[in-house]
């Protein structure tokens, strides 16, 4: 790794969207030309996509009641920065715990996600012992300088401090290239492997000498690549998504767990994979519609919130309209419909890669893919944590923050003993 990377500028990046952009959005929403209603049967109203009446209700709220400045204030309540890595501006949140010996943790989102996926876990992960830790809170942050002199994370310490160290984290939460407030790559090749290398540079640039990483969806692909890369300082990884070639992994008569993985994969291929095939093959063509129509962009993402989260048909029992629109706004306001979709075109969507460092897995039962522990052990020679949790879906940290925090603390505590 280039030793000069630590001298590169890290710049504070407060978020402020011009009022003209919000006025333009409101105007576009007022001029929406609606598709005719779906012809799907009443027994499966989402089988053709987002039902017309459902989307109209969301858009009315968006146009008449939603407040972007509230979300903007939330984003600005966390220290926010940008730095250039491999020629692309990387936006990241850097929220440090008040516990000086806290373990640095790199959190990576996926699609259609953003740094806001972690909104409910920032406080509990940075200040777990504070009764006042809140989703929107957390410790202070800075653009660099990981530890005070003489207070390295690797120092020996008493049992009580060690326990706290396993629970408190300094958080680094980057926006994937092409997503949110990160820059948009102007060349191909920004696949999970390159992003993993960029994240390693980022953590070195921040001065962290001992850290861990976590991810779901594309964040899991990036985190797995980090595990394979094993950059200096990375001591363990955790993933809440598993992407395997199911038919390749089944050898002989399938076990009960393998049948479960096969069933989920077949259901996904039949009912869910259309979006991925489009983004994998024609992200540019798709992007013209997404970046020109806010309703089109909203529908493209809102459907996934409904389909991929763990609920009894009412997505608003999991996420509020405001929360869903916050993430949709990060795609709309940053013109990221096409640039975010291109990660699919890069076609390196797998976590089935050899990893020697400690690996933790937490599987949430509402997710769309599954891999048995046996498969993971074929690739991860040091699987230190395996858990099938009680509830939650694809957006684990957002849906079930308490369970997510429990899993992260439980996994990484094992490498600190």
């Amino acid at each position: 790794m280039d030793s000069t990377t630590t001298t590169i500028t890290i710049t504070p990046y407060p978020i402020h969207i011009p009022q003209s952009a919000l006025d333009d959005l409101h105007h576009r929403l007022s001029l929406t030309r609606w598709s005719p209603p779906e012809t799907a049967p009443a027994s499966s109203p989402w089988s053709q996509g987002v039902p017309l009446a459902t989307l109209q209700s969301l858009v009315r709220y968006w146009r008449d009641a939603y407040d972007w400045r509230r979300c903007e204030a939330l984003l600005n309540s966390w220290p926010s920065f940008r730095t250039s890595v491999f020629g692309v501006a990387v936006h990241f949140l850097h929220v440090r715990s008040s516990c000086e010996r806290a373990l640095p943790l790199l959190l990576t989102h996926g699609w259609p996600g953003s740094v806001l996926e972690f909104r409910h876990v920032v406080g509990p992960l940075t200040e777990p012992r504070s009764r006042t830790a809140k989703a929107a809170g957390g410790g202070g942050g800075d653009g660099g300088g990981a530890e005070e002199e003489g207070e390295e994370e690797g120092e020996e310490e008493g049992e009580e401090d060690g326990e706290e160290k396993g629970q408190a984290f300094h958080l680094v939460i980057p926006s994937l290239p092409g997503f949110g407030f990160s820059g948009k790559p102007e060349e191909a090749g920004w696949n999970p492997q390159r992003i993993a290398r960029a994240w390693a540079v980022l953590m070195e640039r921040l001065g962290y000498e001992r850290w861990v990483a976590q991810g779901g969806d594309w964040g899991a692909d990036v985190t797995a690549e980090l595990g394979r890369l094993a950059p200096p300082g990375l001591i363990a990884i955790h993933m809440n998504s598993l992407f395997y070639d199911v038919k390749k992994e089944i050898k002989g008569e399938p076990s009960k767990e393998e049948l479960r993985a096969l069933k989920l994969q077949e259901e996904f291929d039949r009912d869910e994979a259309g979006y991925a095939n489009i983004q994998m093959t024609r992200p540019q063509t798709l992007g013209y519609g997404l970046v020109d129509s806010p309703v089109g962009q909203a529908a493209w993402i809102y459907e996934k919130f409904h389909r991929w989260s763990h609920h009894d048909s009412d997505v608003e029992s999991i996420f509020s309209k405001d929360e869903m629109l916050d993430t949709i706004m990060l795609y709309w306001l940053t013109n990221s419909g096409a640039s975010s979709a291109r990660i699919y075109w890069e076609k390196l969507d797998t976590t089935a890669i050899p990893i020697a460092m400690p690996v933790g897995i937490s599987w949430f039962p509402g997710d769309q893919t599954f891999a048995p522990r046996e498969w993971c052990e074929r690739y991860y020679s040091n699987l230190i944590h395996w858990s099938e949790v009680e509830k939650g879906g694809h957006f684990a940290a957002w849906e079930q923050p308490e369970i997510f925090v429990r899993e992260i603390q439980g996994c990484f505590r094992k490498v600190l003993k």
Side-chain angles (χ1 to χ4, degrees):
M1 194 175 295
D2 186 353
S3 62
T4 64
T5 57
T6 56
T7 66
I8 303 298
T9 300
I10 295 174
T11 306
Y13 194 78
I15 308 301
H16 180 74
I17 299 299
Q19 185 59 42
S20 59
L22 304 180
D23 293 342
D24 174 74
L25 169 62
H26 190 273
H27 181 66
R28 289 170 184 260
L29 293 175
S30 299
L31 294 178
T32 300
R33 184 171 71 167
W34 292 100
S35 169
E38 66 282 355
T39 59
S43 59
S44 55
W46 284 76
S47 60
Q48 294 181 350
V50 186
L52 176 62
T54 302
L55 188 60
Q56 287 177 325
S57 175
L58 180 72
V59 171
R60 277 195 301 272
Y61 181 85
W62 194 7
R63 182 192 63 203
D64 298 336
Y66 175 79
D67 179 12
W68 162 255
R69 298 302 182 196
R70 172 201 46 77
C71 179
E72 194 171 76
L74 172 64
L75 288 165
N76 286 325
S77 72
W78 302 307
S80 176
F81 303 89
R82 289 223 301 185
T83 189
S84 179
V85 184
F86 304 153
V88 171
V90 173
H91 168 257
F92 64 99
L93 306 177
H94 189 195
V95 188
R96 287 177 55 82
S97 171
S98 63
C99 173
E100 287 301 324
R101 299 175 190 270
L103 182 65
L105 168 60
L106 174 69
L107 294 170
T108 307
H109 68 84
W111 185 95
S114 71
V115 297
L116 288 172
E117 280 188 43
F118 304 105
R119 62 196 301 161
H120 298 309
V121 301
V122 171
L125 286 173
T126 56
E127 306 296 339
R129 298 195 174 207
S130 171
R131 292 177 183 238
T132 60
K134 297 179 180 179
D142 53 64
E147 298 96 20
E148 297 292 329
E149 185 176 356
E151 292 185 346
E152 300 291 330
E153 272 110 341
E155 288 183 297
E156 293 185 5
E157 53 194 331
E159 183 178 350
E160 182 177 350
D161 287 341
E163 179 182 352
E164 181 175 0
K165 203 174 144 188
Q167 295 179 342
F169 299 89
H170 301 309
L171 300 182
V172 179
I173 312 175
S175 299
L176 290 167
F179 289 67
F181 296 103
S182 281
K184 296 172 176 56
E186 296 180 358
E187 62 181 5
W190 277 92
N191 54 43
Q193 291 178 354
R194 182 182 288 187
I195 297 170
R197 293 196 298 272
W199 280 190
V201 170
L202 174 62
M203 295 302 281
E204 181 194 37
R205 195 170 290 175
L206 291 171
Y208 287 127
E209 298 180 354
R210 189 167 184 255
W211 51 281
V212 293
Q214 196 283 332
D217 192 79
W218 283 102
D221 295 292
V222 173
T223 301
E225 291 292 350
L226 274 168
R228 173 160 60 179
L229 178 64
L234 180 61
I235 61 171
I237 65 170
H238 176 276
M239 297 175 285
N240 60 272
S241 297
L242 294 168
F243 302 118
Y244 281 66
D245 184 336
V246 173
K247 293 182 179 178
K248 173 186 173 183
E249 298 298 334
I250 295 176
K251 305 179 188 302
E253 189 69 22
S255 67
K256 179 180 177 181
E257 294 301 285
E258 288 176 327
L259 287 174
R260 174 161 54 143
L262 181 61
K263 179 177 182 290
L264 284 173
Q265 188 63 59
E266 289 176 343
E267 290 175 350
F268 182 85
D269 291 344
R270 182 184 66 242
D271 299 331
E272 298 291 337
Y275 85 96
N277 291 330
I278 293 172
Q279 297 195 149
M280 191 182 301
T281 57
R282 297 295 185 270
Q284 189 68 19
T285 303
L286 170 68
Y288 297 124
L290 297 182
V291 305
D292 190 59
S293 169
V295 171
Q297 179 70 89
W300 195 242
I301 293 175
Y302 179 60
E303 179 194 306
K304 303 312 171 193
F305 293 160
H306 173 85
R307 298 287 293 184
W308 295 355
S309 53
H310 199 198
H311 55 81
D312 294 328
S313 79
D314 180 12
V315 69
E316 289 184 39
S317 67
I318 302 293
F319 310 131
S320 70
K321 282 188 174 74
D322 280 333
E323 289 180 339
M324 291 185 284
L325 288 168
D326 288 346
T327 291
I328 290 167
M329 287 288 275
L330 286 188
Y331 284 80
W332 173 258
L333 293 173
T334 62
N335 195 25
S336 298
S339 58
S340 62
R342 289 193 192 110
I343 195 169
Y344 286 80
W345 183 83
E346 296 289 350
K347 296 185 176 70
L348 284 177
D349 188 6
T350 181
T351 57
I353 55 180
I355 301 173
M357 72 167 50
V359 176
I361 302 294
S362 300
W363 186 71
F364 288 71
D367 209 350
Q368 288 69 51
T369 59
F370 173 73
R373 179 169 185 160
E374 176 189 355
W375 297 0
C376 294
E377 290 174 338
R378 292 175 188 170
Y379 295 90
Y380 314 146
S381 59
N382 191 5
L383 185 63
I384 63 168
H385 181 87
W386 172 272
S387 177
E388 296 185 27
V389 306
E390 59 270 31
K391 60 182 176 179
H394 191 69
F395 306 98
W398 187 14
E399 290 183 54
Q400 298 296 335
E402 291 185 4
I403 297 175
F404 181 85
V405 169
R406 181 192 74 198
E407 291 298 303
I408 298 304
Q409 291 172 338
C411 174
F412 293 130
R413 188 179 295 117
K414 295 171 183 175
V415 298
L416 297 173
K417 290 182 178 179

